[in-house]
Amino acid sequence: MTSVPKKGLILEDDQKFKLMKFKRSVHDILKPEHDDYYLVRWLRARKWNPEAAEKMFRDSMKWRERMEADIVEKWESPEILVKHCTHGLSGFDKGGSPIIIVPFAGMDVYGLLHVVSRSDFLRHILKTLENYMKIARKQSEVHGPEARQFIVVFDMEGFYLKQFAWRPAAEVVISLIKMYEANYPEILKYCYIINAPKVFAFAFNIVKKFFDEYTLSKIHIYKTDRNKWLPELLKRMDASQLPKYLGGELTDEDGDPKCKKIICFGGRVPKELYVTQDDGFISNNNETVYKEAVIKKGGKLKLEFECTEPGCYLKWEFRTLNDDIRFGVRSIHNDTEEVTNEIPMRRCASHQGNEIGFIKCQPNCLYKVCFDNTYSYFKSKKIQYSVEMTNTVGDFDEDIAETDEDLTVLKTLDIDAENVSIKSNE
């Protein structure tokens, strides 16, 4: 790897003033590792608006505390995630930044979410990202602060869209994007998406709305023509830092061109590891108490909750163990008797994955929750559920509730791959 001189932080006068203002406003929560370069990331993410940067920074510090991000390395990841989450550090670019290779098609999200909870999946990714952050910070001690950014290469060879049209998988992807955008600004130097099939354009058009414009400007998408993307990669890194199977010179200690000793390629999760219907569903929170009921054919399960004070939320998580169920929430004002359909009745594919959500409640209202099986004349439905009135909502539940409308398109995919094109670096 070619070494380059360390570069200091170069700012214009007005940027220096905004940095000083920002630093003063957040001095009460600063840590020793929060140097000027670290703080500038938040200013750049908010277009040098100190007030907006302060809000983003404070929100992220609260999030890190809730998620125990500073000590997440002590958490032991489930073995299935270690073996099947695709990623690896192949080396460092010409500026000393880590190069992360992600053989994305090997990530069996469908299988993983049938073995582990969504929260464990997300926490494992958080742990992995925090580990790369530590590597990058150590690199910056030699190469300068710009080495704290990453180059990420997503190899999409073999990618298929079907499993990401499954709602729980789509929810996880969007939650990860939101987690990254809200808490890790400006850590991406370049992202290369290579070997992208035509159908990938459809998926990317859905998720790109969750990326900041500046992040999108760093993402470069290429089809399967190696003559187009390989020269671009080699502009940023020496061939010795790129796996041989991607056109570089790097092999692992066994001479494997795919470097499987340092890069996890994932693969299909064995179905015998899946949590079955008889096992119950995979909980996202070990502290949550789940009730179980059988809703008879043609029957309903009704629950009522009273909101007596401001700042309350009605939160739910449920899964049916055989077939779908209709679900809805309505509220009745105690004084005016006005009825509001908070969540219109709809059929939920809750046998495929946990249905999770929440609504903000109004005081002096009665909230009625209904699990409806009246449309089924032959099947009773076994359901496990947790519905509660609470003052807080989970970190990832909020992301999913916000993206519910965006995910409706994923539930009704009908794709003609030949009519999908990739408009990028051809």
Side-chain angles (χ1 to χ4, degrees):
M1 180 182 66
T2 304
S3 180
V4 297
K6 290 176 66 173
K7 295 181 180 179
L9 185 62
I10 301 175
L11 300 176
E12 298 177 0
D13 289 342
D14 64 326
Q15 293 174 339
K16 291 178 182 178
F17 174 78
K18 290 175 180 178
L19 173 59
M20 279 181 18
K21 183 178 179 181
F22 176 45
K23 191 186 297 187
R24 283 197 303 266
S25 68
V26 297
H27 75 279
D28 57 308
I29 57 172
L30 291 181
K31 297 181 179 181
E33 63 268 26
H34 296 163
D35 57 15
D36 286 355
Y37 186 86
Y38 180 90
L39 295 176
V40 163
R41 284 170 39 198
W42 304 86
L43 284 166
R44 285 175 174 159
R46 288 297 177 261
K47 299 180 180 179
W48 291 92
N49 182 323
E51 290 77 17
E54 178 185 357
K55 183 181 186 309
M56 182 184 185
F57 183 61
R58 287 187 180 277
D59 288 346
S60 181
M61 291 303 104
K62 291 177 182 177
W63 175 85
R64 291 185 65 84
E65 183 177 357
R66 290 195 303 269
M67 298 303 300
E68 299 184 327
D70 292 333
I71 58 172
V72 72
E73 64 182 6
K74 298 179 181 179
W75 176 71
E76 186 174 352
S77 297
E79 185 179 4
I80 192 73
L81 292 173
V82 175
K83 290 184 176 181
H84 286 266
C85 280
T86 57
H87 70 93
L89 178 71
S90 69
F92 304 93
D93 76 353
K94 294 177 181 179
S97 295
I99 302 168
I100 302 169
I101 308 295
V102 182
F104 193 77
M107 180 80 80
D108 182 8
V109 180
Y110 181 90
L112 289 172
L113 293 180
H114 277 78
V115 180
V116 301
S117 69
R118 186 187 64 218
S119 61
D120 278 356
F121 184 95
L122 294 168
R123 184 165 280 106
H124 176 72
I125 300 299
L126 170 63
K127 179 180 177 179
T128 302
L129 182 54
E130 286 291 317
N131 180 56
Y132 283 133
M133 293 286 287
K134 288 186 177 180
I135 294 172
R137 189 169 185 90
K138 189 172 183 180
Q139 284 293 108
S140 72
E141 295 174 2
V142 177
H143 299 276
E146 290 188 358
R148 296 182 201 173
Q149 292 182 304
F150 306 128
I151 285 186
V152 185
V153 180
F154 284 94
D155 181 10
M156 306 303 294
E157 185 175 3
F159 171 81
Y160 65 103
L161 188 58
K162 183 177 179 180
Q163 69 167 299
F164 294 97
W166 182 54
R167 182 188 176 94
E171 289 174 343
V172 162
V173 170
I174 292 172
S175 291
L176 286 172
I177 293 172
K178 288 194 165 191
M179 180 182 79
Y180 163 78
E181 285 288 343
N183 302 286
Y184 296 93
E186 303 298 311
I187 65 168
L188 183 66
K189 183 182 284 188
Y190 292 99
C191 175
Y192 297 98
I193 300 175
I194 62 175
N195 295 322
K198 289 183 177 181
V199 74
F200 174 75
F202 182 89
F204 189 71
N205 282 336
I206 293 173
V207 301
K208 72 179 183 181
K209 65 195 300 184
F210 299 102
F211 283 111
D212 178 81
E213 288 183 9
Y214 190 54
T215 301
L216 285 173
S217 71
K218 297 179 180 182
I219 298 176
H220 306 274
I221 304 174
Y222 297 88
K223 293 182 181 180
T224 56
D225 188 351
R226 177 175 292 197
N227 294 327
K228 295 289 180 65
W229 53 258
L230 182 57
E232 294 301 315
L233 294 180
L234 294 179
K235 286 180 183 178
R236 308 292 174 189
M237 62 195 74
D238 293 336
S240 62
Q241 306 296 298
L242 184 67
K244 195 169 184 178
Y245 90 100
L246 292 178
E249 300 173 354
L250 181 67
T251 62
D252 62 21
E253 59 189 30
D254 296 331
D256 183 356
K258 287 194 170 183
C259 305
K260 291 182 180 177
K261 288 291 179 80
I262 58 176
I263 299 173
C264 175
F265 278 75
R268 291 294 180 90
V269 175
K271 288 190 175 181
E272 57 265 27
L273 298 179
Y274 284 17
V275 175
T276 66
Q277 293 181 350
D278 292 335
D279 295 327
F281 71 90
I282 305 162
S283 170
N284 289 289
N285 184 344
N286 292 330
E287 297 179 357
T288 301
V289 177
Y290 297 93
K291 297 180 180 180
E292 190 168 284
V294 175
I295 305 175
K296 294 183 178 180
K297 53 189 177 183
K300 295 181 181 180
L301 172 63
K302 296 180 179 181
L303 307 171
E304 293 187 356
F305 299 85
E306 189 81 38
C307 179
T308 58
E309 59 185 26
C312 288
Y313 298 86
L314 182 68
K315 178 181 175 182
W316 59 85
E317 180 173 4
F318 65 90
R319 179 169 179 171
T320 45
L321 304 187
N322 51 336
D323 221 332
D324 59 11
I325 195 78
R326 291 183 78 215
F327 173 78
V329 180
R330 63 191 180 104
S331 65
I332 303 175
H333 196 280
N334 291 333
D335 294 332
T336 65
E337 297 186 353
E338 180 184 359
V339 178
T340 303
N341 283 323
E342 304 286 352
I343 303 293
M345 293 296 298
R346 64 180 179 87
R347 291 177 70 166
C348 300
S350 48
H351 58 303
Q352 296 180 351
N354 303 2
E355 283 287 333
I356 302 170
F358 72 92
I359 55 173
K360 191 170 184 179
C361 299
Q362 298 298 321
N364 200 27
C365 285
L366 178 68
Y367 286 82
K368 294 191 173 186
V369 177
C370 181
F371 296 96
D372 180 8
N373 195 34
T374 56
Y375 63 92
S376 180
Y377 296 102
F378 304 104
K379 286 185 179 180
S380 296
K381 307 291 174 63
K382 188 176 182 180
I383 183 172
Q384 293 176 333
Y385 66 93
S386 171
V387 185
E388 60 178 335
M389 190 72 73
T390 178
N391 292 322
T392 60
V393 291
D395 301 292
F396 297 116
D397 293 351
E398 185 170 359
D399 284 343
I400 289 178
E402 289 176 355
T403 58
D404 183 73
E405 183 176 342
D406 300 300
L407 288 166
T408 55
V409 67
L410 293 172
K411 296 170 67 179
T412 56
L413 289 179
D414 184 11
I415 303 165
D416 179 359
E418 293 302 316
N419 292 328
V420 179
S421 61
I422 296 177
K423 298 179 181 179
S424 54
N425 301 288
E426 293 287 328

